[in-house]
Amino acid sequence: MPARISGRLYQTEFTMRNFIVPALALHLLFIAGQTFSQPFTEKGGAYLEAETYVQQGNFHMDEGEWEAAVEFYLSAVDADPSHQAAQFNLALANFHLGNFGKAELSLEKLAEAGSADAQTLELLGLARYHRGNFEKSISAFSAAMQVRQTESLYLNRGLALASASHPKEAFNDFNQALKMNPDNLAACLGKGAVLIELGQFSLALDWLDKALELEPGNASALTNQAIAHFKMEEKDAAAGLFEQAISLQPQASIFLARGQCRLEVRDWSGALQDVKLAMEVEPENPEVYFFLGTVEMKMGNAAAAIESFSIALEVNPTVACLMKRAEAFRQNNQHYEAINDAYRALDLEPGNQESKQFLMVAYEKLDEANLSQK
C-alpha cells in the first residue's frame, strides 16, 4: 500500500443521512467521528506529471475549494490513471461536493486495482450510503473491518444496517462503538433509534436521555424522543418535544419526522404542512421531495407523486426513490416507465429483492394491459 505523507490532517467530518425507519421517520443526524488523513501522495519518476496536479489539488483542498481541487485531480488522473493518490483525493473532493456517485466510481477503481485500504473502503461505504445503496455500503464497511476495527466503522456500519432494516445487527454495532467510547453521542442516538424500531420504547428513551446528558438540547435526541412518545400514543408529549426540537434547530429532517408521524394517523394536511415548512428551510433537500411523493401516494395522487420523486432523483438517484417512483408509475398505468425504474434500481443494487419481485408483478400487469387493448 502507498505510504501516507506526514503533515497537516484534513479535519473531515462526514454527516450521515437522517435515519428513516420503514413507516416512521426516526430523525437521527450522525456526525461520523472519522477524521480522514491528508490525502496521500506518491513520489517517483512515473508519477511526476500527475504529482504536480495532485499537489495543486491538495492546495485547493486545504482552502476548502473543492471544485478547483476536482479539476486538478482529474488532470492528474488523465496524466496517470494508476496514480492512487489522485483517485483517492478526487473521490474525497467529490464527496465534499455531494457528488457521491463520482466518489464511488473513483474508490471502486482503487478497490479493483487492489489498492483499497481501510480508509478507502470506509469512504466507499459512506459514498454508497449517501446514494442509498445500503447493502453495498455495509459490504464496504465490513471489508474495512477486516483490516481494522474502529469506533467510526462500527458507528457507520450500524447506521447503514439500520437504514437497510437490520435493526438487531445495527444495535450490536452501536454497542461495539459504545464499548470503545461510552460517551459516543452518535452511538447513543443510534442505539435509541433502533430500540424504537424494535419496540423497546422505554429503553430507547433512556439512551436518548444519555445523549441529552452528553449534549443538552440536542435536537436529534429530542426528535427521536418525540417519535418514541408518539409510538407510545403519548401525543401531547410528542408534540411538545417536536416543538422544542424545532425551536432549537429548525431543519428539514425534524419537520419530516413530524410529518411521518402525522402520516401514520392519516393527517394528510398536517403532513403536507410539514413538507411546506421543510421546503422553506431546505428547498433543495431531496428527502423533502421524497417524502412529499410518499404523502401524495398515500393520498392516491400517483401523477403528482411521480413529479415529486423525479425531483428527488435529479438530486440523488437512490434505490428507495426509484422503487417509489416505479410504484407510482405502475399505479398510474405507466408500465414501461415502472419497469425501467426497477431495472435502474437493480443497476444500483444488483441483489435488490424488492426490484426483482416488482419486475415479476410489473410484467404481469403489462401483459394484462396489452391483452385488454386487443
Side-chain angles (χ1 to χ4, degrees):
M1 299 302 297
R4 283 1 179 219
I5 63 169
S6 59
R8 180 149 53 98
L9 301 180
Y10 283 118
Q11 300 300 317
T12 306
E13 290 187 330
F14 294 106
T15 303
M16 305 297 279
R17 309 170 19 129
N18 297 316
F19 179 46
I20 295 182
V21 172
L24 190 66
L26 300 190
H27 170 78
L28 178 55
L29 181 63
F30 265 95
I31 304 296
Q34 176 70 12
T35 300
F36 280 97
S37 299
Q38 179 176 354
F40 54 85
T41 55
E42 299 157 323
K43 304 293 182 180
Y47 293 95
L48 288 180
E49 183 180 358
E51 185 69 19
T52 300
Y53 291 120
V54 169
Q55 293 300 328
Q56 289 175 297
N58 287 351
F59 170 80
H60 288 289
M61 286 276 275
D62 283 333
E63 299 299 316
E65 299 166 351
W66 316 121
E67 292 91 347
V70 164
E71 293 303 316
F72 281 109
Y73 293 141
L74 282 171
S75 296
V77 171
D78 287 340
D80 186 349
S82 68
H83 198 291
Q84 296 173 22
Q87 290 285 6
F88 181 85
N89 296 358
L90 177 60
L92 187 58
N94 271 317
F95 190 99
H96 277 289
L97 289 169
N99 299 330
F100 305 119
K102 292 179 180 179
E104 182 181 7
L105 182 61
S106 294
L107 295 163
E108 284 180 341
K109 288 179 180 178
L110 287 173
E112 289 168 2
S115 305
D117 59 1
Q119 175 177 254
T120 302
L121 290 167
E122 183 163 15
L123 184 56
L124 176 59
L126 288 165
R128 288 172 170 174
Y129 180 91
H130 280 278
R131 296 195 71 202
N133 297 342
F134 303 127
E135 296 294 348
K136 291 178 73 175
S137 173
I138 293 164
S139 296
F141 290 137
S142 296
M145 293 173 78
Q146 295 297 315
V147 181
R148 67 184 184 193
Q149 292 81 45
T150 66
E151 181 183 343
S152 71
L153 273 169
Y154 278 115
L155 178 66
N156 291 336
R157 190 176 70 172
L159 183 57
L161 285 162
S163 297
S165 300
H166 303 304
K168 292 181 180 178
E169 293 84 350
F171 179 86
N172 292 334
D173 272 1
F174 292 136
N175 268 342
Q176 288 297 324
L178 285 164
K179 285 182 181 178
M180 294 180 174
N181 177 10
D183 292 334
N184 186 314
L185 173 64
C188 290
L189 289 168
K191 192 170 180 178
V194 295
L195 282 167
I196 294 173
E197 187 177 1
L198 291 168
Q200 301 294 319
F201 306 124
S202 295
L203 191 56
L205 289 170
D206 289 341
W207 280 99
L208 295 169
D209 280 338
K210 168 70 173 176
L212 288 167
E213 290 175 9
L214 293 170
E215 186 179 297
N218 181 278
S220 298
L222 292 168
T223 304
N224 274 325
Q225 285 192 332
I227 294 165
H229 283 289
F230 178 85
K231 294 287 285 184
M232 296 167 71
E233 299 188 358
E234 298 172 354
K235 303 298 192 296
D236 290 342
L241 286 162
F242 275 129
E243 288 298 333
Q244 186 178 352
I246 290 167
S247 69
L248 291 167
Q249 195 172 3
Q251 59 187 28
S253 54
I254 301 177
F255 291 118
L256 296 182
R258 186 172 66 180
Q260 284 277 21
C261 290
R262 288 172 166 172
L263 194 61
E264 286 289 302
V265 294
R266 302 175 65 85
D267 178 5
W268 313 131
S269 62
L272 289 172
Q273 178 63 25
D274 277 325
V275 169
K276 180 181 178 181
L277 292 169
M279 283 185 181
E280 288 176 359
V281 294
E282 296 178 34
E284 297 182 2
N285 186 336
E287 295 289 343
V288 176
Y289 295 94
F290 178 85
F291 180 65
L292 175 58
T294 302
V295 176
E296 290 165 338
M297 286 280 284
K298 291 285 188 181
M299 296 174 68
N301 192 346
I306 290 168
E307 183 177 350
S308 297
F309 292 137
S310 296
I311 295 171
L313 286 166
E314 287 177 7
V315 180
N316 189 21
T318 66
V319 171
C321 196
L322 282 167
M323 292 312 301
K324 281 282 193 179
R325 190 174 69 171
E327 177 58 25
F329 275 133
R330 188 194 65 77
Q331 291 186 18
N332 209 41
N333 295 317
Q334 294 176 254
H335 301 292
Y336 288 106
E337 291 86 348
I339 289 169
N340 183 59
D341 271 358
Y343 276 118
R344 284 185 63 191
L346 280 173
D347 286 340
L348 289 174
E349 192 175 300
N352 187 276
Q353 291 301 312
E354 180 188 0
S355 302
K356 293 178 180 179
Q357 293 170 5
F358 181 90
L359 281 169
M360 289 190 291
V361 175
Y363 276 116
E364 290 177 4
K365 296 294 184 183
L366 179 60
D367 290 340
E368 292 173 4
N370 289 336
L371 284 171
S372 68
Q373 293 174 3
K374 291 181 179 180

